[in-house]
Amino acid sequence: MVNRTVSVDIQSGTMARAHLKEQSRLAAVLRNPWLWVAGMTLVGFLLRRYHLGVESLWFDEADIVAQARQPLPTLIERFTKAGENGPLYTLMLHYWLTLGDSIPGVGRLMSLLFGSAFEAQVRGLSMLFGTAAIPVMFAFAKRVGGQTLGLLAAALLTFNPFHLWYSQDAKMYSMLVLMTLITSLLYLRAIERNTIAYWAAYVLATWVMLTAHSLAGLVLLAQIVATLVTMRVMPLDGRAQPGGKTRHTLLRWFLAVLIIVAPIFPIVWLRAAALVTGTVDSGNWYGNASLPEILLTIFVKFAVNQAAPDALGGVSIPWEAIGALSMAALALAGAWALVRASRKADEPVQQDREVGRSEGRNPKVLTLMLWLVPVLLFWVLTLVLPLFQPRYLIMALPSYLIMAGAGIMALRRVHPLLAAAPLVLLGLATGAALLSINYSSNPQKEDWRGAMVYVQDHIRLRDTIVVFPGYLESAVELYYRPGGPAQVPDRPVETVHSLRTENYGVRELDEDLRRIVACKERAWLVISPVREAQEDPQHKVLEWFQSNWHTFDTKEFNGVTVYGISFNGQPDCWYPGPVMEEPHTFEGGLGFTGYTYELRDDESNEPKQPDASYFPLTMFWQGPATPMPDYDVLVKVTDPSGKVVKEEALGTLNGYWPTLEWYPNAKVIDYRDIRLPGGLTPGNYRVSVQVFPKGQPDKPLKLEDGSTEIVFKQPLKVVTWKP
C-alpha cells in the first residue's frame, strides 16, 4: 500500500514537472517578440487586403499603369531623366502586371492573395511593400529604444490609416516607407559593425530608395545630418571617444555616401538647377504652404489619414482633431524622451532595463533627424516651388510613429493613465478613420471606373469622348473598353491642348475644339473638376461646349464629372435625319418627323436589344413658328402581351432643352436612353410616344387624327442579356 502511494506521488510529481515545463516553454514562446511581430504582420496584411479592389484607380494610379505598360527600353531610359519620379517602382510594376500570365499558377495565387479585381491585383505590389514594412519597423525601432519600443512602433504602423491608405494605392509611397526603414537600419548596422558587407548593403539599399521617389534624398540627408551631429573628434590612434565613431568608420561612411551620390549627381544637379531657375513646372496644382500649415496637415494625415489642414482649428469632424492631438502629444513626449536619452548616452552604450540590451546615441539622433530634416527641407523646397502634398513626406512617418511609441513608454513611467488616455483616444480616432475613410462605403478616390462605365452604357456610334485636362487621358483609356458583350463602340478619345501653353489663346482653342467636334453628333466631356479649375480657372472649355451646343446629360462621380453634349446635327458635315420617317403633327404645331433605334448590333441580320440594358432611342422634332409651353415627352415600351414594361416622361434632351426655349421652326434631335428591366421575355416590343404639358400627364396633346399616341411602326426586338 505504501509502495503504491509512493508510486502515485512520483507519477503526480512527474506530471506536475512536465506541466510546469510545458508552461515554461509556452511562456518562452510568448516572450519571443518575433511571434508578436509575425501576428502583427498577418493582421497588417489582412487590413491592407481588405477593400483592396473596391475603389477605382484614381488618375495617378491609372497614369502609372499606363507608364508601366510602355516598352522596356523606355522604362529604363526613365532612370536617367531628372524629372522622373519613381522609375524603379514603374519598372517593377511592368513585370508585376505580366506576372500572372507569364508563370503558370501565379495568376490564381495572385487572385487568392489580393482578389480577382483588376484594381486589387495592380495594388498588390504596394500592399506587399506596406506589409513588409511592419517587421522592419520593429527591427529598426528596437535598435532605437529596445524591444518594447519596437513592438509599439510596429503596432502603430500596423493600424496607421495613412500607411494603410498608401499600402492600397498603386504608387511608390509604401515602397518609400519600406526603403526608408531598411536603409536606416543598414546605416545603423554599418556604423556599429563597420564591415564592408554592411556598407555595401547600405549603398545598394540607398540606391533602391533613391529610385523609388525623387524626394527620398531627404532620407539620405537626414542620415548625413545624424552622422554629423553624433560625430566626435577622434584621437590620433583611431579609437572612438564615448558616444563617437572611429576615424576608420567615418572614412567608410564618407566613401559610402560618395559612391551613392556619384552616379546620380548629374541628375541631382540638373534637377536642382531647374528648381533654382524656376523652370520646373508644378502644373499649378499646389498652392504655397507655410511651415505651420505643413505641420498641421501632416499631424492630421499621419494620425487619421484625413486631409484637413484646419483639423486642429475647429474642423466639423471632432475625431480628426482628437486623433491628431493625441498622436502629436505622444510624439512630442517621445521626442523629448529620445533627446534626453541621447544626451545621457555619452557612455559607449546605455542599458535598457526592459529588454536587457544596449543602445547607443546614434539610433535616437537618427530617429529625430528622420523627422526634422525631411519636414524642414521640404518646407524650404516649397518656398522655391509650391508642391506640398502630405504623401511627399511619408518617409517621415516611421520616425513619427517611433516617437509616439517612445512617448507611450515615457508617459507610462510617470503614470499609466498618462499613457493610456491619449492611446485610447488615438485608438478611437483610428477606428473612426478606418470606417469613414479607408473602408468607407462611399468612394474616396476619383471614380474613373464608374464614370467610364456610365459613358460606355450611353455612348453611340457618332459620339466622341473629350478629356480635360488632357493629361487625364490615361485614366479614361484605362477604363474605356470597346467591344465586349455590350458591344461598346470604338470611339476616339480626344484631348484639349493645355491652356497654359505659350501663345495658345482663344482662337487656337476654338480651332482645336471645332476640329474635335467636326462630323460628330455628340460629345462626352469628361473632366476632373479640381484639375479643371487649376488648368482652366475661367472654365473656357466647359463654357465653349455649353454655350455653343446643348447639354443633354450631367453625371457626377467622386472627383469626375461627365457632361453629355449634343451638337443637334454634325458640325461641318451634314444633318442626320431619322432612319424611320413617320411624320406626325400635334396640336399647337409641334411636329414629329421620325425616329432611329441606334442599336449596337445594327449590322446584324436582326437588330436586337438585350434586356437589362439601355435602349438608345433618337427622336426628331420640328418646332412651330410660334413659341410653345413646356412639354414632356412620354416614351412607353410594351411587351407582346400588352403589358407596359417601361415608361419615362422627360422634357426634350432629358429636360435640358425644354420646348419653351426652342427658337421658331427649330429642328431638334432628342436623345433618350431607356433602361430596360431585366428578365424580359424575348420578342418584339412596341414603342410609343405621347406629349403633354409638363406636370399634366392626364392632358396629352392630340394628333391630326384625333389620337394622342404615336405607335412606332418599327418594333423593338428584345433578347436575353448574355454576358
Side-chain angles (χ1 to χ4, degrees):
M1 186 71 180
V2 174
N3 291 337
R4 184 178 300 177
T5 303
V6 172
S7 177
V8 170
D9 291 341
I10 293 174
Q11 290 179 0
S12 299
T14 303
M15 293 176 62
R17 285 193 297 272
H19 181 67
L20 290 173
K21 188 175 182 180
E22 184 178 349
Q23 284 186 327
S24 66
R25 287 177 179 174
L26 178 62
V29 170
L30 293 177
R31 284 196 300 269
N32 184 354
W34 285 105
L35 178 66
W36 296 98
V37 173
M40 285 188 284
T41 304
L42 177 60
V43 171
F45 175 86
L46 296 176
L47 288 172
R48 287 153 180 79
R49 166 68 168 78
Y50 185 60
H51 272 213
L52 188 61
V54 170
E55 293 265 12
S56 165
L57 298 180
W58 68 294
F59 163 66
D60 273 15
E61 292 179 291
D63 189 57
I64 206 166
V65 169
Q67 295 175 30
R69 287 174 171 172
Q70 292 177 335
L72 187 59
T74 304
L75 295 175
I76 295 176
E77 183 183 357
R78 293 166 62 91
F79 281 81
T80 61
K81 293 184 178 180
E84 293 298 329
N85 193 13
L88 180 61
Y89 179 87
T90 308
L91 180 63
M92 296 174 71
L93 188 61
H94 171 82
Y95 289 103
W96 179 261
L97 294 176
T98 61
L99 191 60
D101 297 328
S102 58
I103 303 177
V106 172
R108 185 177 181 84
L109 178 61
M110 291 178 69
S111 296
L112 180 65
L113 289 176
F114 311 116
S116 58
F118 169 73
E119 292 82 1
Q121 302 210 3
V122 171
R123 294 171 177 146
L125 184 61
S126 295
M127 173 192 157
L128 291 180
F129 287 138
T131 304
I134 296 171
V136 184
M137 178 67 145
F138 167 75
F140 177 68
K142 181 182 177 183
R143 299 197 69 80
V144 174
Q147 182 173 295
T148 302
L149 180 58
L151 292 172
L152 286 171
L156 290 172
L157 185 66
T158 299
F159 296 97
N160 183 258
F162 191 60
H163 188 256
L164 271 163
W165 180 269
Y166 285 103
S167 297
Q168 295 185 323
D169 197 71
K171 293 286 286 182
M172 69 292 294
Y173 299 106
S174 63
M175 180 183 179
L176 177 57
V177 171
L178 175 63
M179 295 313 302
T180 297
L181 289 166
I182 290 177
T183 59
S184 299
L185 184 60
L186 288 173
Y187 162 84
L188 292 177
R189 289 187 180 274
I191 287 289
E192 293 166 3
R193 305 288 180 85
N194 195 31
T195 63
I196 294 178
Y198 272 119
W199 283 117
Y202 169 67
V203 169
L204 291 174
T206 306
W207 276 340
V208 171
M209 179 184 68
L210 293 175
T211 54
H213 196 279
S214 58
L215 289 175
L218 296 176
V219 178
L220 177 60
L221 290 174
Q223 294 166 354
I224 292 174
V225 172
T227 307
L228 298 177
V229 168
T230 56
M231 186 183 295
R232 294 289 186 272
V233 177
M234 297 296 102
L236 295 178
D237 60 4
R239 291 177 298 177
Q241 291 181 352
K245 304 174 182 65
T246 65
R247 292 177 178 177
H248 192 218
T249 302
L250 292 175
L251 178 60
R252 286 190 173 179
W253 165 77
F254 179 78
L255 290 175
V257 172
L258 188 63
I259 294 172
I260 290 169
V261 173
I264 62 172
F265 181 77
I267 299 174
V268 174
W269 179 265
L270 291 174
R271 191 64 173 172
L275 288 173
V276 172
T277 58
T279 57
V280 173
D281 184 12
S282 64
N284 198 31
W285 298 328
Y286 316 123
N288 293 314
S290 65
L291 182 58
E293 289 172 337
I294 291 175
L295 290 174
L296 287 178
T297 302
I298 62 176
F299 283 160
V300 179
K301 291 291 285 186
F302 282 11
V304 292
N305 188 34
Q306 180 67 22
D310 59 343
L312 301 180
V315 75
S316 58
I317 305 178
W319 58 260
E320 297 174 16
I322 291 172
L325 288 170
S326 299
M327 182 168 280
L330 292 173
L332 182 61
W336 177 246
L338 291 177
V339 169
R340 290 186 62 190
S342 65
R343 288 177 178 176
K344 292 179 181 179
D346 289 333
E347 298 299 324
V349 292
Q350 175 183 335
Q351 189 72 20
D352 190 311
R353 295 179 181 177
E354 296 192 25
V355 296
R357 72 179 312 257
S358 299
E359 297 295 347
R361 180 185 185 192
N362 202 52
K364 299 170 179 60
V365 173
L366 176 61
T367 301
L368 296 170
M369 293 304 105
L370 286 173
W371 163 255
L372 286 173
V373 172
V375 172
L376 293 177
L377 290 184
F378 186 71
W379 166 63
V380 172
L381 180 62
T382 60
L383 298 179
V384 180
L385 185 68
L387 45 72
F388 172 64
Q389 279 289 300
R391 63 180 181 269
Y392 292 162
L393 282 173
I394 198 170
M395 77 286 289
L397 176 64
S399 58
Y400 190 65
L401 297 182
I402 292 172
M403 287 158 54
I408 295 172
M409 295 174 62
L411 293 175
R412 180 177 172 271
R413 293 189 189 102
V414 178
H415 196 284
L417 287 179
L418 284 178
L423 193 57
V424 169
L425 291 175
L426 178 60
L428 293 174
T430 297
L434 293 178
L435 292 175
S436 61
I437 302 174
N438 295 66
Y439 305 137
S440 173
S441 57
N442 299 318
Q444 302 294 306
K445 296 185 177 183
E446 296 167 354
D447 190 9
W448 291 97
R449 179 177 59 196
M452 297 320 299
V453 166
Y454 186 82
V455 171
Q456 289 178 167
D457 282 340
H458 297 275
I459 198 166
R460 302 192 183 184
L461 296 174
R462 290 187 292 272
D463 291 358
T464 187
I465 301 172
V466 183
V467 189
F468 185 72
Y471 60 80
L472 299 171
E473 180 184 11
S474 56
V476 171
E477 291 189 334
L478 177 68
Y479 281 111
Y480 185 72
R481 298 165 184 171
Q487 296 180 288
V488 178
D490 188 0
R491 304 307 302 142
V493 177
E494 302 281 357
T495 60
V496 181
H497 205 283
S498 174
L499 302 190
R500 292 181 291 109
T501 304
E502 188 176 357
N503 298 324
Y504 189 83
V506 176
R507 182 171 61 87
E508 290 78 12
L509 175 63
D510 183 72
E511 290 176 355
D512 274 356
L513 293 177
R514 290 197 174 274
R515 173 189 56 80
I516 288 173
V517 305
C519 292
K520 306 296 191 304
E521 196 168 333
R522 308 188 308 177
W524 293 94
L525 178 62
V526 185
I527 70 170
S528 165
V530 174
R531 293 182 173 88
E532 185 258 354
Q534 294 166 340
E535 171 79 13
D536 183 14
Q538 298 177 338
H539 309 287
K540 296 177 183 177
V541 173
L542 181 60
E543 184 178 312
W544 187 91
F545 277 100
Q546 294 188 326
S547 298
N548 291 307
W549 315 108
H550 304 281
T551 301
F552 69 88
D553 195 5
T554 302
K555 187 70 172 178
E556 293 183 358
F557 300 86
N558 192 59
V560 185
T561 302
V562 176
Y563 297 94
I565 308 294
S566 167
F567 307 136
N568 202 41
Q570 292 181 260
D572 301 324
C573 208
W574 59 289
Y575 192 89
V579 172
M580 300 300 297
E581 296 183 359
E582 292 188 22
H584 296 275
T585 303
F586 289 91
E587 60 181 293
L590 175 62
F592 180 83
T593 59
Y595 55 91
T596 299
Y597 298 163
E598 298 197 37
L599 308 182
R600 291 180 176 179
D601 69 340
D602 195 43
E603 297 181 359
S604 63
N605 294 329
E606 285 188 290
K608 51 190 177 295
Q609 180 71 31
D611 67 347
S613 66
Y614 287 95
F615 158 46
L617 171 65
T618 305
M619 296 173 285
F620 295 79
W621 303 92
Q622 174 74 56
T626 58
M628 294 181 294
D630 194 4
Y631 291 129
D632 275 348
V633 178
L634 173 66
V635 178
K636 291 196 293 187
V637 180
T638 307
D639 69 8
S641 69
K643 177 184 177 183
V644 176
V645 298
K646 183 69 177 183
E647 60 180 359
E648 183 179 81
L650 291 171
T652 49
L653 275 187
N654 297 319
Y656 282 89
W657 194 10
T659 53
L660 57 81
E661 295 181 4
W662 289 9
Y663 49 83
N665 300 310
K667 290 184 178 181
V668 176
I669 303 177
D670 185 14
Y671 303 98
R672 186 79 69 89
D673 288 325
I674 310 295
R675 177 70 177 181
L676 298 179
L680 296 181
T681 303
N684 290 327
Y685 284 62
R686 188 184 73 179
V687 183
S688 61
V689 167
Q690 284 184 320
V691 178
F692 53 81
K694 192 172 188 65
Q696 303 180 48
D698 57 334
K699 297 180 180 180
L701 300 185
K702 292 184 178 180
L703 295 160
E704 65 275 1
D705 61 359
S707 64
T708 61
E709 186 175 33
I710 301 174
V711 179
F712 296 170
K713 296 178 182 178
Q714 176 70 34
L716 174 66
K717 184 178 180 62
V718 176
V719 297
T720 302
W721 166 257
K722 294 181 179 179

